[in-house]
Amino acid sequence: MSEREIIILDDAKALSVRAAEEIVHVSGEAICMHAQFTLCLTGGRTPADTYSLIATRFHLSVDWKEVQFFWGDERCVPPDDEASNFGLANRTMLSKLPLSPAQIHRMRGEDPPAAAAAAYEEDLKRFFSLDGGELPRFDLILLGLGENAHIASLFPGSPLIHEQHRMVAEVEVDAPQRHRITLTPPALNNAARVMFIVAGEGKAQAVKNVLEGPEDPSRFPAQLINPEEGTVIWLLDKAAASLLSGSLSG
Ligand code: 6PG
């Protein structure tokens, strides 16, 4: 089991500030170590405040020319669509930072899903100079958590839960924006660091199931996250942590 840290913050605001601080901290380490920071963003609504804080309060704390942005998943919609994960990150953060287009590796949600997934896999191979079965190693992957314990677009019962070879795949899910593109478990678990950002009472049962429930990644996909040579950090607000037993909730 990889090293796991659980940090509980008072509320969603404090959670967003802590998440932004962690991202800035890891960016400094990565740029110091290898002159580059590869950050894989999450979709959903929860990270919006964190992204805004980075662009407004922490923007002077990161050497932006050394940062490369990627996504863990995308909904198959155009980039300016309200439901686009790229669109959310662009509106709240990327459009406000001194970045060149080459630093933004978005999943092309507007293209046919299979073609978009294949193109993203090629982009990862090119950027990380991968050959054979090698996997990308992101410095930091951000993940949200669905109320059904899904992560990225890896939903309960998804065939991708057992994916061993592909890094990126198209998938159909039982949720709005059915057609998605997502990183697979092997690509997620090759990261140096994975950080969950989870807020709200609506997520409390999912958090409990994943952290204290029976080991069953097909029912609780977030249990898949176990980077062999990496660490996992759970940032939770009190509401999301409200069902955890004392041993975990400290
Ligand atoms: C997506 C996400 C997904 C998200 C969870 C939580 O594209 O929907 O990547 O995995 O993180 O659904 O979403 P909220 O933050 O909106 O609750």
Side-chain angles (χ1 to χ4, degrees):
M1 175 60 142
S2 53
E3 189 199 323
R4 183 180 72 186
E5 199 181 352
I6 299 173
I7 297 175
I8 301 170
L9 292 308
D10 284 347
D11 54 30
K13 189 85 201 127
L15 175 77
S16 300
V17 172
R18 184 57 184 267
E21 289 168 345
E22 286 288 331
I23 294 167
V24 167
H25 170 71
V26 178
S27 76
E29 271 184 0
I31 293 169
C32 189
M33 307 251 284
H34 44 250
Q36 176 176 273
F37 175 46
T38 51
L39 173 60
C40 189
L41 301 175
T42 182
R45 297 284 150 222
T46 307
D49 285 350
T50 299
Y51 296 163
S52 302
L53 283 168
I54 288 176
T56 54
R57 264 182 54 195
F58 294 89
H59 58 295
L60 298 176
S61 315
V62 177
D63 185 355
W64 292 111
K65 69 180 184 317
E66 307 296 356
V67 182
Q68 301 282 334
F69 292 92
F70 299 84
W71 276 260
D73 73 324
E74 184 58 280
R75 295 92 178 261
C76 293
V77 294
D80 55 0
D81 188 289
E82 187 51 34
S84 165
N85 289 340
F86 163 79
L88 177 103
N90 196 41
R91 283 191 304 278
T92 55
M93 175 173 62
L94 304 175
S95 59
K96 302 171 182 174
L97 297 173
L99 304 170
S100 71
Q103 295 175 259
I104 298 174
H105 305 262
R106 75 178 179 85
M107 295 175 168
R108 293 180 58 82
E110 67 271 36
D111 293 347
Y120 205 68
E121 187 145 319
E122 283 316 307
D123 186 6
L124 293 177
K125 284 182 180 165
R126 217 178 10 260
F127 179 83
F128 287 95
S129 310
L130 306 174
D131 57 32
E134 285 180 322
L135 293 161
R137 184 166 172 79
F138 295 102
D139 293 307
L140 178 60
I141 293 182
L142 306 181
L143 287 176
L145 181 72
E147 293 191 3
N148 60 5
H150 79 258
I151 48 168
S153 283
L154 300 170
F155 279 61
S158 168
L160 291 178
I161 293 204
H162 308 291
E163 177 63 43
Q164 305 275 328
H165 307 293
R166 299 177 69 184
M167 307 170 213
V168 190
E170 70 282 5
V171 65
E172 201 170 331
V173 300
D174 182 15
Q177 295 88 36
R178 298 183 64 78
H179 297 285
R180 310 272 186 107
I181 306 152
T182 187
L183 292 187
T184 61
L188 294 170
N189 275 325
N190 200 47
R193 194 167 181 77
V194 177
M195 182 161 82
F196 284 90
I197 308 173
V198 187
E201 205 175 344
K203 303 290 175 69
Q205 189 59 56
V207 168
K208 182 161 183 70
N209 292 341
V210 172
L211 296 177
E212 296 182 334
E215 189 61 24
D216 187 351
S218 192
R219 277 175 66 202
F220 313 126
Q223 288 180 340
L224 286 164
I225 296 301
N226 184 16
E228 254 162 59
E229 285 157 43
T231 61
V232 180
I233 179 171
W234 284 80
L235 294 187
L236 307 168
D237 70 355
K238 275 196 176 135
S242 58
L243 296 179
L244 287 178
S245 66
S247 61
L248 283 185
S249 59

